[in-house]
Amino acid sequence: MTQTKIEILKNYVGGEWIESNSDKTEEVFNPATGEVIAHVPVSSQEDVDHAVETAYQSFQQWKEVPVPKRARILFKYQQLLVDHWDELAEIVTVENGKSLKEAKGEVQRGIENVEFAAGAPSLTMGEQLPSIAEGLESGVYRYPIGVVGGITPFNFPMMVPCWMFPLAIATGNTFVLKPSERTPLLANRLAELLEEAGLPKGVFNIVHGAHDVVNGLLEHKKVAAISFVGSQPVAEYVYKKGTDNLKRVQALSGAKNHSIVLSDANLQNAATQITNAAFGSAGERCMAASVVAVEESIADRFIDLLIEKANEIRIGNGLGEDVFLGPVIREAHKERTLDYIETGEKEGANLVRDGRIDEDTKRDGYFVGPTIFDNVTADMEIWQDEIFAPVLSIARVKDLNAAVELTNQSRFANGACIFTKDGGAVRQFRETIDAGMLGVNIGVPAPMAFFPFSGWKDSFYGDLHANGKDGINFYTRQKVITTRWV
Ligand code: NAD
């Protein structure tokens, strides 16, 4: 029986499915229907201790496993993920709400992370200099760091854990995952497939729960590093507490992503891309487009196009054919979003498309239709805060200078995109904008396994980003050896 079908989810420790020793649970909902689909244990400090101790013991053997042998397990895992692609995507849609098409795309991103990690033998090679001085040579060797704790958000149940554990285990570490308590189902399926791929017991572990599990990992002496992805206040807290406990921490945080549309842009493309980026995954993406700075001269035309495209969006259960916009994650998140829409009206922004009145939002589940505000300014809460829902703000600007100046006022700096055909404008944008991920004529500069991914400013706390070479560096430490052969 798969773990995804049981009522109270189990933790996965040392290759065994075990009950949490806490009897506290939380309900897991299908956000498209409001139905309870599982209960997730709110695990205790003792559960964390057991998982970390197990991971620590397993580390002693796993770090000695030759790197190509570790990679071979990941190759097998990759094939299993491909074989189960549709099933995994369906679990994502049921627990998160995003459309099946988007869920399949998310599974693809996760698979790419596994593919990248399977390159560990080349990625973790050292470097040598045969003559650093007369008769002396030096070289650098790379080693794992120990037990890594991973703490993940609700919005990418497959992709975000896959930013972490494939690379961490490929480089010889062992891993304890604390998935989001709002989308905990997929993690258990990932663990089952890891087991099928032949991963030794105790290398990958899951402890379900909430704050106590996070604090347990942050405080545990045998946890060497923490990879966190989630909202800004929690990222800041995790970074401070983790480093206070002398751990290596990367904390990817909240966002408010800006797109700039210049008058020479292909407006059809810009409107299509921004519609997808703002309303896809119900705006619950750290790379979602949430503000557009558009040049005044084309603003009216561009906004008409956006409204036209938003009106074509099909709202509903993500499992349904052609559905583009699914629900937001919880009733409380829907209420918070509706509050923001009211705030925007009170602040004097011009509500040009009201997602509260779409007929398809009246069904069971937590639906909000595509919502667009015009004439938004930087002093408004709807401009400043991460709403994390299908709400798009438009600010009218004189030119590129004004757009960059406006964008750089944000405390967040995850992603930014420009729409133009002008190479000089692209260069100016690249050189002056504050953001970690830039896009040119695309709506979502999505994270790719092969490149480092993260933001600047309050969108990231730490040093080494997720993925790519940064990921390798984060999950390894180095020894330099200098030798005289006598
Ligand atoms: P969240 O911060 O509520 O939760 C993230 C994780 O932290 C969860 O596992 C949760 O259990 C835990 N947590 C929550 N509150 C805590 C607390 N007070 N103490 C200890 N642990 C706590 O985030 P979310 O709502 O699940 O996810 C959405 C957020 O994640 C958005 O802000 C989004 O921008 C961000 N995000 C960022 C990236 C990125 O790459 N920068 C990627 C995906 C999501």
Side-chain angles (χ1 to χ4, degrees), residues 356-391:
R356 294 171 300 191
I357 56 178
D358 285 303
E359 213 33 57
D360 278 324
T361 63
K362 309 285 185 273
R363 53 173 66 221
D364 288 342
Y366 322 125
F367 293 91
V368 182
T371 300
I372 305 175
F373 279 106
D374 186 12
N375 289 313
V376 178
T377 51
D379 55 339
M380 296 180 184
E381 274 178 43
I382 57 163
W383 186 90
Q384 293 162 3
D385 296 355
E386 180 181 43
I387 302 175
F388 219 55
V391 178

PDB file of all heavy atoms in Angstrom, residues 356-391:
ATOM      1  N   ARG A 356     -12.910  38.512  -7.517  1.00  0.00           N
ATOM      2  CA  ARG A 356     -13.850  38.025  -6.493  1.00  0.00           C
ATOM      3  C   ARG A 356     -15.185  37.635  -7.090  1.00  0.00           C
ATOM      4  O   ARG A 356     -15.952  36.900  -6.483  1.00  0.00           O
ATOM      5  CB  ARG A 356     -14.084  39.122  -5.440  1.00  0.00           C
ATOM      6  CG  ARG A 356     -12.857  39.433  -4.627  1.00  0.00           C
ATOM      7  CD  ARG A 356     -13.048  40.639  -3.764  1.00  0.00           C
ATOM      8  NE  ARG A 356     -13.345  41.849  -4.532  1.00  0.00           N
ATOM      9  CZ  ARG A 356     -13.343  43.080  -4.031  1.00  0.00           C
ATOM     10  NH1 ARG A 356     -13.068  43.263  -2.756  1.00  0.00           N
ATOM     11  NH2 ARG A 356     -13.617  44.114  -4.793  1.00  0.00           N
ATOM     12  N   ILE A 357     -15.459  38.168  -8.304  1.00  0.00           N
ATOM     13  CA  ILE A 357     -16.813  37.961  -8.827  1.00  0.00           C
ATOM     14  C   ILE A 357     -16.899  36.874  -9.908  1.00  0.00           C
ATOM     15  O   ILE A 357     -17.977  36.585 -10.417  1.00  0.00           O
ATOM     16  CB  ILE A 357     -17.413  39.281  -9.359  1.00  0.00           C
ATOM     17  CG1 ILE A 357     -16.499  39.889 -10.410  1.00  0.00           C
ATOM     18  CG2 ILE A 357     -17.648  40.274  -8.222  1.00  0.00           C
ATOM     19  CD1 ILE A 357     -17.049  41.177 -11.007  1.00  0.00           C
ATOM     20  N   ASP A 358     -15.775  36.259 -10.222  1.00  0.00           N
ATOM     21  CA  ASP A 358     -15.824  35.178 -11.220  1.00  0.00           C
ATOM     22  C   ASP A 358     -16.741  34.061 -10.729  1.00  0.00           C
ATOM     23  O   ASP A 358     -16.606  33.599  -9.588  1.00  0.00           O
ATOM     24  CB  ASP A 358     -14.418  34.619 -11.464  1.00  0.00           C
ATOM     25  CG  ASP A 358     -13.577  35.560 -12.300  1.00  0.00           C
ATOM     26  OD1 ASP A 358     -14.001  35.892 -13.408  1.00  0.00           O
ATOM     27  OD2 ASP A 358     -12.498  35.971 -11.815  1.00  0.00           O
ATOM     28  N   GLU A 359     -17.641  33.627 -11.591  1.00  0.00           N
ATOM     29  CA  GLU A 359     -18.628  32.608 -11.205  1.00  0.00           C
ATOM     30  C   GLU A 359     -17.951  31.346 -10.666  1.00  0.00           C
ATOM     31  O   GLU A 359     -18.395  30.752  -9.687  1.00  0.00           O
ATOM     32  CB  GLU A 359     -19.500  32.308 -12.442  1.00  0.00           C
ATOM     33  CG  GLU A 359     -20.936  31.943 -12.192  1.00  0.00           C
ATOM     34  CD  GLU A 359     -21.597  32.608 -10.980  1.00  0.00           C
ATOM     35  OE1 GLU A 359     -21.646  33.865 -10.863  1.00  0.00           O
ATOM     36  OE2 GLU A 359     -22.060  31.822 -10.129  1.00  0.00           O
ATOM     37  N   ASP A 360     -16.845  30.971 -11.315  1.00  0.00           N
ATOM     38  CA  ASP A 360     -16.185  29.717 -10.934  1.00  0.00           C
ATOM     39  C   ASP A 360     -15.477  29.774  -9.585  1.00  0.00           C
ATOM     40  O   ASP A 360     -14.930  28.773  -9.132  1.00  0.00           O
ATOM     41  CB  ASP A 360     -15.182  29.304 -12.019  1.00  0.00           C
ATOM     42  CG  ASP A 360     -15.886  28.586 -13.151  1.00  0.00           C
ATOM     43  OD1 ASP A 360     -16.838  27.843 -12.867  1.00  0.00           O
ATOM     44  OD2 ASP A 360     -15.486  28.800 -14.312  1.00  0.00           O
ATOM     45  N   THR A 361     -15.469  30.941  -8.961  1.00  0.00           N
ATOM     46  CA  THR A 361     -14.861  31.002  -7.623  1.00  0.00           C
ATOM     47  C   THR A 361     -15.892  30.648  -6.547  1.00  0.00           C
ATOM     48  O   THR A 361     -15.564  30.546  -5.380  1.00  0.00           O
ATOM     49  CB  THR A 361     -14.294  32.403  -7.314  1.00  0.00           C
ATOM     50  OG1 THR A 361     -15.377  33.335  -7.318  1.00  0.00           O
ATOM     51  CG2 THR A 361     -13.249  32.817  -8.332  1.00  0.00           C
ATOM     52  N   LYS A 362     -17.136  30.471  -6.975  1.00  0.00           N
ATOM     53  CA  LYS A 362     -18.222  30.246  -5.993  1.00  0.00           C
ATOM     54  C   LYS A 362     -18.338  28.772  -5.586  1.00  0.00           C
ATOM     55  O   LYS A 362     -19.135  28.394  -4.758  1.00  0.00           O
ATOM     56  CB  LYS A 362     -19.572  30.711  -6.561  1.00  0.00           C
ATOM     57  CG  LYS A 362     -19.560  32.125  -7.116  1.00  0.00           C
ATOM     58  CD  LYS A 362     -19.558  33.186  -6.014  1.00  0.00           C
ATOM     59  CE  LYS A 362     -19.661  34.600  -6.557  1.00  0.00           C
ATOM     60  NZ  LYS A 362     -18.399  35.231  -6.905  1.00  0.00           N
ATOM     61  N   ARG A 363     -17.553  27.911  -6.239  1.00  0.00           N
ATOM     62  CA  ARG A 363     -17.626  26.473  -5.951  1.00  0.00           C
ATOM     63  C   ARG A 363     -16.931  26.158  -4.624  1.00  0.00           C
ATOM     64  O   ARG A 363     -16.289  27.029  -4.018  1.00  0.00           O
ATOM     65  CB  ARG A 363     -16.947  25.713  -7.079  1.00  0.00           C
ATOM     66  CG  ARG A 363     -15.537  26.264  -7.295  1.00  0.00           C
ATOM     67  CD  ARG A 363     -14.690  25.497  -8.281  1.00  0.00           C
ATOM     68  NE  ARG A 363     -15.147  25.547  -9.638  1.00  0.00           N
ATOM     69  CZ  ARG A 363     -15.126  24.480 -10.438  1.00  0.00           C
ATOM     70  NH1 ARG A 363     -14.703  23.322  -9.995  1.00  0.00           N
ATOM     71  NH2 ARG A 363     -15.516  24.588 -11.681  1.00  0.00           N
ATOM     72  N   ASP A 364     -17.029  24.887  -4.174  1.00  0.00           N
ATOM     73  CA  ASP A 364     -16.275  24.463  -2.991  1.00  0.00           C
ATOM     74  C   ASP A 364     -14.787  24.632  -3.290  1.00  0.00           C
ATOM     75  O   ASP A 364     -14.374  24.588  -4.430  1.00  0.00           O
ATOM     76  CB  ASP A 364     -16.542  22.981  -2.696  1.00  0.00           C
ATOM     77  CG  ASP A 364     -17.953  22.789  -2.156  1.00  0.00           C
ATOM     78  OD1 ASP A 364     -18.556  23.783  -1.714  1.00  0.00           O
ATOM     79  OD2 ASP A 364     -18.440  21.645  -2.209  1.00  0.00           O
ATOM     80  N   GLY A 365     -13.996  24.749  -2.263  1.00  0.00           N
ATOM     81  CA  GLY A 365     -12.565  24.974  -2.487  1.00  0.00           C
ATOM     82  C   GLY A 365     -12.258  26.450  -2.357  1.00  0.00           C
ATOM     83  O   GLY A 365     -13.149  27.275  -2.139  1.00  0.00           O
ATOM     84  N   TYR A 366     -10.977  26.782  -2.516  1.00  0.00           N
ATOM     85  CA  TYR A 366     -10.523  28.139  -2.134  1.00  0.00           C
ATOM     86  C   TYR A 366     -10.090  28.926  -3.371  1.00  0.00           C
ATOM     87  O   TYR A 366      -8.894  29.094  -3.617  1.00  0.00           O
ATOM     88  CB  TYR A 366      -9.373  28.007  -1.129  1.00  0.00           C
ATOM     89  CG  TYR A 366      -9.573  26.873  -0.143  1.00  0.00           C
ATOM     90  CD1 TYR A 366      -8.614  25.879   0.011  1.00  0.00           C
ATOM     91  CD2 TYR A 366     -10.747  26.781   0.625  1.00  0.00           C
ATOM     92  CE1 TYR A 366      -8.806  24.831   0.896  1.00  0.00           C
ATOM     93  CE2 TYR A 366     -10.943  25.739   1.512  1.00  0.00           C
ATOM     94  CZ  TYR A 366      -9.971  24.760   1.638  1.00  0.00           C
ATOM     95  OH  TYR A 366     -10.155  23.719   2.507  1.00  0.00           O
ATOM     96  N   PHE A 367     -11.081  29.384  -4.130  1.00  0.00           N
ATOM     97  CA  PHE A 367     -10.778  30.000  -5.426  1.00  0.00           C
ATOM     98  C   PHE A 367     -10.812  31.521  -5.369  1.00  0.00           C
ATOM     99  O   PHE A 367     -11.677  32.117  -4.728  1.00  0.00           O
ATOM    100  CB  PHE A 367     -11.765  29.508  -6.484  1.00  0.00           C
ATOM    101  CG  PHE A 367     -11.596  28.043  -6.777  1.00  0.00           C
ATOM    102  CD1 PHE A 367     -12.326  27.091  -6.074  1.00  0.00           C
ATOM    103  CD2 PHE A 367     -10.682  27.621  -7.730  1.00  0.00           C
ATOM    104  CE1 PHE A 367     -12.155  25.738  -6.324  1.00  0.00           C
ATOM    105  CE2 PHE A 367     -10.501  26.269  -7.991  1.00  0.00           C
ATOM    106  CZ  PHE A 367     -11.233  25.321  -7.284  1.00  0.00           C
ATOM    107  N   VAL A 368      -9.860  32.120  -6.066  1.00  0.00           N
ATOM    108  CA  VAL A 368      -9.857  33.569  -6.296  1.00  0.00           C
ATOM    109  C   VAL A 368      -9.556  33.753  -7.781  1.00  0.00           C
ATOM    110  O   VAL A 368      -8.601  33.153  -8.297  1.00  0.00           O
ATOM    111  CB  VAL A 368      -8.739  34.277  -5.479  1.00  0.00           C
ATOM    112  CG1 VAL A 368      -8.793  35.791  -5.709  1.00  0.00           C
ATOM    113  CG2 VAL A 368      -8.831  33.949  -3.994  1.00  0.00           C
ATOM    114  N   GLY A 369     -10.346  34.542  -8.472  1.00  0.00           N
ATOM    115  CA  GLY A 369     -10.127  34.761  -9.905  1.00  0.00           C
ATOM    116  C   GLY A 369      -8.994  35.746 -10.139  1.00  0.00           C
ATOM    117  O   GLY A 369      -8.540  36.440  -9.218  1.00  0.00           O
ATOM    118  N   PRO A 370      -8.544  35.823 -11.407  1.00  0.00           N
ATOM    119  CA  PRO A 370      -7.450  36.745 -11.726  1.00  0.00           C
ATOM    120  C   PRO A 370      -7.866  38.188 -11.422  1.00  0.00           C
ATOM    121  O   PRO A 370      -8.921  38.644 -11.865  1.00  0.00           O
ATOM    122  CB  PRO A 370      -7.240  36.559 -13.231  1.00  0.00           C
ATOM    123  CG  PRO A 370      -8.153  35.495 -13.675  1.00  0.00           C
ATOM    124  CD  PRO A 370      -9.060  35.107 -12.569  1.00  0.00           C
ATOM    125  N   THR A 371      -7.014  38.865 -10.667  1.00  0.00           N
ATOM    126  CA  THR A 371      -7.332  40.215 -10.201  1.00  0.00           C
ATOM    127  C   THR A 371      -6.227  41.175 -10.648  1.00  0.00           C
ATOM    128  O   THR A 371      -5.043  40.859 -10.485  1.00  0.00           O
ATOM    129  CB  THR A 371      -7.449  40.199  -8.658  1.00  0.00           C
ATOM    130  OG1 THR A 371      -8.502  39.298  -8.317  1.00  0.00           O
ATOM    131  CG2 THR A 371      -7.744  41.577  -8.090  1.00  0.00           C
ATOM    132  N   ILE A 372      -6.637  42.317 -11.208  1.00  0.00           N
ATOM    133  CA  ILE A 372      -5.628  43.264 -11.716  1.00  0.00           C
ATOM    134  C   ILE A 372      -5.927  44.664 -11.183  1.00  0.00           C
ATOM    135  O   ILE A 372      -7.059  45.163 -11.301  1.00  0.00           O
ATOM    136  CB  ILE A 372      -5.628  43.296 -13.272  1.00  0.00           C
ATOM    137  CG1 ILE A 372      -5.430  41.879 -13.839  1.00  0.00           C
ATOM    138  CG2 ILE A 372      -4.544  44.232 -13.793  1.00  0.00           C
ATOM    139  CD1 ILE A 372      -5.541  41.778 -15.357  1.00  0.00           C
ATOM    140  N   PHE A 373      -4.919  45.280 -10.607  1.00  0.00           N
ATOM    141  CA  PHE A 373      -4.995  46.679 -10.171  1.00  0.00           C
ATOM    142  C   PHE A 373      -4.139  47.542 -11.083  1.00  0.00           C
ATOM    143  O   PHE A 373      -2.991  47.176 -11.392  1.00  0.00           O
ATOM    144  CB  PHE A 373      -4.424  46.829  -8.751  1.00  0.00           C
ATOM    145  CG  PHE A 373      -5.383  46.450  -7.651  1.00  0.00           C
ATOM    146  CD1 PHE A 373      -5.210  45.265  -6.953  1.00  0.00           C
ATOM    147  CD2 PHE A 373      -6.433  47.293  -7.308  1.00  0.00           C
ATOM    148  CE1 PHE A 373      -6.067  44.919  -5.914  1.00  0.00           C
ATOM    149  CE2 PHE A 373      -7.302  46.949  -6.280  1.00  0.00           C
ATOM    150  CZ  PHE A 373      -7.124  45.757  -5.579  1.00  0.00           C
ATOM    151  N   ASP A 374      -4.669  48.696 -11.452  1.00  0.00           N
ATOM    152  CA  ASP A 374      -3.896  49.682 -12.222  1.00  0.00           C
ATOM    153  C   ASP A 374      -3.555  50.849 -11.278  1.00  0.00           C
ATOM    154  O   ASP A 374      -4.130  50.976 -10.190  1.00  0.00           O
ATOM    155  CB  ASP A 374      -4.774  50.157 -13.404  1.00  0.00           C
ATOM    156  CG  ASP A 374      -4.009  51.074 -14.357  1.00  0.00           C
ATOM    157  OD1 ASP A 374      -2.773  51.165 -14.251  1.00  0.00           O
ATOM    158  OD2 ASP A 374      -4.680  51.695 -15.209  1.00  0.00           O
ATOM    159  N   ASN A 375      -2.620  51.673 -11.730  1.00  0.00           N
ATOM    160  CA  ASN A 375      -2.220  52.876 -10.970  1.00  0.00           C
ATOM    161  C   ASN A 375      -1.770  52.549  -9.538  1.00  0.00           C
ATOM    162  O   ASN A 375      -2.154  53.233  -8.589  1.00  0.00           O
ATOM    163  CB  ASN A 375      -3.367  53.893 -10.919  1.00  0.00           C
ATOM    164  CG  ASN A 375      -3.581  54.528 -12.281  1.00  0.00           C
ATOM    165  OD1 ASN A 375      -2.630  54.938 -12.926  1.00  0.00           O
ATOM    166  ND2 ASN A 375      -4.824  54.568 -12.728  1.00  0.00           N
ATOM    167  N   VAL A 376      -0.987  51.496  -9.423  1.00  0.00           N
ATOM    168  CA  VAL A 376      -0.448  51.122  -8.112  1.00  0.00           C
ATOM    169  C   VAL A 376       0.851  51.895  -7.894  1.00  0.00           C
ATOM    170  O   VAL A 376       1.636  52.090  -8.821  1.00  0.00           O
ATOM    171  CB  VAL A 376      -0.203  49.592  -8.049  1.00  0.00           C
ATOM    172  CG1 VAL A 376       0.413  49.190  -6.719  1.00  0.00           C
ATOM    173  CG2 VAL A 376      -1.519  48.852  -8.277  1.00  0.00           C
ATOM    174  N   THR A 377       1.074  52.321  -6.654  1.00  0.00           N
ATOM    175  CA  THR A 377       2.293  53.079  -6.346  1.00  0.00           C
ATOM    176  C   THR A 377       3.039  52.417  -5.173  1.00  0.00           C
ATOM    177  O   THR A 377       2.459  51.620  -4.426  1.00  0.00           O
ATOM    178  CB  THR A 377       1.950  54.545  -5.978  1.00  0.00           C
ATOM    179  OG1 THR A 377       0.932  54.519  -4.970  1.00  0.00           O
ATOM    180  CG2 THR A 377       1.468  55.326  -7.179  1.00  0.00           C
ATOM    181  N   ALA A 378       4.295  52.800  -5.042  1.00  0.00           N
ATOM    182  CA  ALA A 378       5.189  52.090  -4.108  1.00  0.00           C
ATOM    183  C   ALA A 378       4.818  52.283  -2.643  1.00  0.00           C
ATOM    184  O   ALA A 378       5.299  51.534  -1.786  1.00  0.00           O
ATOM    185  CB  ALA A 378       6.628  52.534  -4.341  1.00  0.00           C
ATOM    186  N   ASP A 379       3.973  53.265  -2.346  1.00  0.00           N
ATOM    187  CA  ASP A 379       3.590  53.445  -0.942  1.00  0.00           C
ATOM    188  C   ASP A 379       2.422  52.527  -0.546  1.00  0.00           C
ATOM    189  O   ASP A 379       2.019  52.488   0.610  1.00  0.00           O
ATOM    190  CB  ASP A 379       3.219  54.923  -0.681  1.00  0.00           C
ATOM    191  CG  ASP A 379       2.136  55.398  -1.641  1.00  0.00           C
ATOM    192  OD1 ASP A 379       1.962  54.767  -2.712  1.00  0.00           O
ATOM    193  OD2 ASP A 379       1.452  56.383  -1.331  1.00  0.00           O
ATOM    194  N   MET A 380       1.885  51.798  -1.501  1.00  0.00           N
ATOM    195  CA  MET A 380       0.717  50.941  -1.195  1.00  0.00           C
ATOM    196  C   MET A 380       1.161  49.572  -0.700  1.00  0.00           C
ATOM    197  O   MET A 380       2.140  49.008  -1.188  1.00  0.00           O
ATOM    198  CB  MET A 380      -0.140  50.753  -2.449  1.00  0.00           C
ATOM    199  CG  MET A 380      -0.763  52.042  -2.956  1.00  0.00           C
ATOM    200  SD  MET A 380      -1.739  51.711  -4.435  1.00  0.00           S
ATOM    201  CE  MET A 380      -2.227  53.382  -4.876  1.00  0.00           C
ATOM    202  N   GLU A 381       0.374  49.021   0.232  1.00  0.00           N
ATOM    203  CA  GLU A 381       0.677  47.670   0.738  1.00  0.00           C
ATOM    204  C   GLU A 381       0.626  46.638  -0.384  1.00  0.00           C
ATOM    205  O   GLU A 381       1.399  45.684  -0.389  1.00  0.00           O
ATOM    206  CB  GLU A 381      -0.339  47.275   1.814  1.00  0.00           C
ATOM    207  CG  GLU A 381       0.030  47.758   3.184  1.00  0.00           C
ATOM    208  CD  GLU A 381      -1.036  47.392   4.211  1.00  0.00           C
ATOM    209  OE1 GLU A 381      -1.538  46.254   4.173  1.00  0.00           O
ATOM    210  OE2 GLU A 381      -1.358  48.273   5.035  1.00  0.00           O
ATOM    211  N   ILE A 382      -0.309  46.821  -1.319  1.00  0.00           N
ATOM    212  CA  ILE A 382      -0.417  45.814  -2.386  1.00  0.00           C
ATOM    213  C   ILE A 382       0.815  45.832  -3.293  1.00  0.00           C
ATOM    214  O   ILE A 382       1.076  44.871  -4.009  1.00  0.00           O
ATOM    215  CB  ILE A 382      -1.720  45.939  -3.224  1.00  0.00           C
ATOM    216  CG1 ILE A 382      -1.839  47.322  -3.850  1.00  0.00           C
ATOM    217  CG2 ILE A 382      -2.937  45.567  -2.406  1.00  0.00           C
ATOM    218  CD1 ILE A 382      -2.869  47.346  -4.984  1.00  0.00           C
ATOM    219  N   TRP A 383       1.568  46.936  -3.277  1.00  0.00           N
ATOM    220  CA  TRP A 383       2.831  46.976  -4.033  1.00  0.00           C
ATOM    221  C   TRP A 383       3.953  46.348  -3.204  1.00  0.00           C
ATOM    222  O   TRP A 383       4.824  45.659  -3.729  1.00  0.00           O
ATOM    223  CB  TRP A 383       3.190  48.431  -4.378  1.00  0.00           C
ATOM    224  CG  TRP A 383       4.400  48.558  -5.268  1.00  0.00           C
ATOM    225  CD1 TRP A 383       4.417  48.579  -6.631  1.00  0.00           C
ATOM    226  CD2 TRP A 383       5.769  48.657  -4.857  1.00  0.00           C
ATOM    227  NE1 TRP A 383       5.708  48.680  -7.092  1.00  0.00           N
ATOM    228  CE2 TRP A 383       6.557  48.735  -6.025  1.00  0.00           C
ATOM    229  CE3 TRP A 383       6.415  48.695  -3.618  1.00  0.00           C
ATOM    230  CZ2 TRP A 383       7.949  48.847  -5.999  1.00  0.00           C
ATOM    231  CZ3 TRP A 383       7.802  48.807  -3.583  1.00  0.00           C
ATOM    232  CH2 TRP A 383       8.559  48.882  -4.763  1.00  0.00           C
ATOM    233  N   GLN A 384       3.907  46.591  -1.902  1.00  0.00           N
ATOM    234  CA  GLN A 384       5.039  46.194  -1.044  1.00  0.00           C
ATOM    235  C   GLN A 384       5.012  44.730  -0.627  1.00  0.00           C
ATOM    236  O   GLN A 384       6.046  44.073  -0.570  1.00  0.00           O
ATOM    237  CB  GLN A 384       5.040  47.054   0.231  1.00  0.00           C
ATOM    238  CG  GLN A 384       5.334  48.504  -0.041  1.00  0.00           C
ATOM    239  CD  GLN A 384       4.902  49.409   1.113  1.00  0.00           C
ATOM    240  OE1 GLN A 384       4.435  48.945   2.153  1.00  0.00           O
ATOM    241  NE2 GLN A 384       5.056  50.702   0.912  1.00  0.00           N
ATOM    242  N   ASP A 385       3.828  44.209  -0.279  1.00  0.00           N
ATOM    243  CA  ASP A 385       3.757  42.893   0.361  1.00  0.00           C
ATOM    244  C   ASP A 385       3.678  41.761  -0.663  1.00  0.00           C
ATOM    245  O   ASP A 385       3.103  41.928  -1.743  1.00  0.00           O
ATOM    246  CB  ASP A 385       2.507  42.798   1.249  1.00  0.00           C
ATOM    247  CG  ASP A 385       2.557  43.795   2.401  1.00  0.00           C
ATOM    248  OD1 ASP A 385       3.590  44.486   2.555  1.00  0.00           O
ATOM    249  OD2 ASP A 385       1.550  43.894   3.131  1.00  0.00           O
ATOM    250  N   GLU A 386       4.195  40.615  -0.255  1.00  0.00           N
ATOM    251  CA  GLU A 386       3.999  39.419  -1.067  1.00  0.00           C
ATOM    252  C   GLU A 386       2.586  38.904  -0.792  1.00  0.00           C
ATOM    253  O   GLU A 386       2.296  38.473   0.324  1.00  0.00           O
ATOM    254  CB  GLU A 386       5.028  38.351  -0.698  1.00  0.00           C
ATOM    255  CG  GLU A 386       4.867  37.102  -1.523  1.00  0.00           C
ATOM    256  CD  GLU A 386       5.862  36.004  -1.161  1.00  0.00           C
ATOM    257  OE1 GLU A 386       6.089  35.767   0.037  1.00  0.00           O
ATOM    258  OE2 GLU A 386       6.404  35.383  -2.093  1.00  0.00           O
ATOM    259  N   ILE A 387       1.707  38.980  -1.785  1.00  0.00           N
ATOM    260  CA  ILE A 387       0.321  38.530  -1.573  1.00  0.00           C
ATOM    261  C   ILE A 387       0.230  37.022  -1.824  1.00  0.00           C
ATOM    262  O   ILE A 387      -0.512  36.323  -1.181  1.00  0.00           O
ATOM    263  CB  ILE A 387      -0.652  39.335  -2.468  1.00  0.00           C
ATOM    264  CG1 ILE A 387      -0.504  40.847  -2.153  1.00  0.00           C
ATOM    265  CG2 ILE A 387      -2.096  38.881  -2.252  1.00  0.00           C
ATOM    266  CD1 ILE A 387      -1.318  41.764  -3.048  1.00  0.00           C
ATOM    267  N   PHE A 388       1.022  36.527  -2.769  1.00  0.00           N
ATOM    268  CA  PHE A 388       1.106  35.090  -3.047  1.00  0.00           C
ATOM    269  C   PHE A 388      -0.254  34.524  -3.456  1.00  0.00           C
ATOM    270  O   PHE A 388      -0.760  33.551  -2.898  1.00  0.00           O
ATOM    271  CB  PHE A 388       1.648  34.360  -1.809  1.00  0.00           C
ATOM    272  CG  PHE A 388       2.596  33.242  -2.175  1.00  0.00           C
ATOM    273  CD1 PHE A 388       3.704  33.478  -2.972  1.00  0.00           C
ATOM    274  CD2 PHE A 388       2.391  31.933  -1.729  1.00  0.00           C
ATOM    275  CE1 PHE A 388       4.584  32.463  -3.320  1.00  0.00           C
ATOM    276  CE2 PHE A 388       3.267  30.908  -2.075  1.00  0.00           C
ATOM    277  CZ  PHE A 388       4.362  31.171  -2.862  1.00  0.00           C
ATOM    278  N   ALA A 389      -0.844  35.184  -4.429  1.00  0.00           N
ATOM    279  CA  ALA A 389      -2.189  34.831  -4.905  1.00  0.00           C
ATOM    280  C   ALA A 389      -2.357  35.481  -6.283  1.00  0.00           C
ATOM    281  O   ALA A 389      -1.509  36.287  -6.690  1.00  0.00           O
ATOM    282  CB  ALA A 389      -3.219  35.366  -3.908  1.00  0.00           C
ATOM    283  N   PRO A 390      -3.452  35.169  -6.999  1.00  0.00           N
ATOM    284  CA  PRO A 390      -3.583  35.708  -8.363  1.00  0.00           C
ATOM    285  C   PRO A 390      -3.973  37.184  -8.398  1.00  0.00           C
ATOM    286  O   PRO A 390      -5.049  37.547  -8.877  1.00  0.00           O
ATOM    287  CB  PRO A 390      -4.652  34.811  -8.994  1.00  0.00           C
ATOM    288  CG  PRO A 390      -5.442  34.282  -7.852  1.00  0.00           C
ATOM    289  CD  PRO A 390      -4.529  34.206  -6.680  1.00  0.00           C
ATOM    290  N   VAL A 391      -3.116  38.019  -7.864  1.00  0.00           N
ATOM    291  CA  VAL A 391      -3.373  39.468  -7.814  1.00  0.00           C
ATOM    292  C   VAL A 391      -2.166  40.177  -8.434  1.00  0.00           C
ATOM    293  O   VAL A 391      -1.043  40.013  -7.959  1.00  0.00           O
ATOM    294  CB  VAL A 391      -3.554  39.953  -6.361  1.00  0.00           C
ATOM    295  CG1 VAL A 391      -3.782  41.468  -6.324  1.00  0.00           C
ATOM    296  CG2 VAL A 391      -4.717  39.219  -5.697  1.00  0.00           C
TER     297      VAL A 391
END
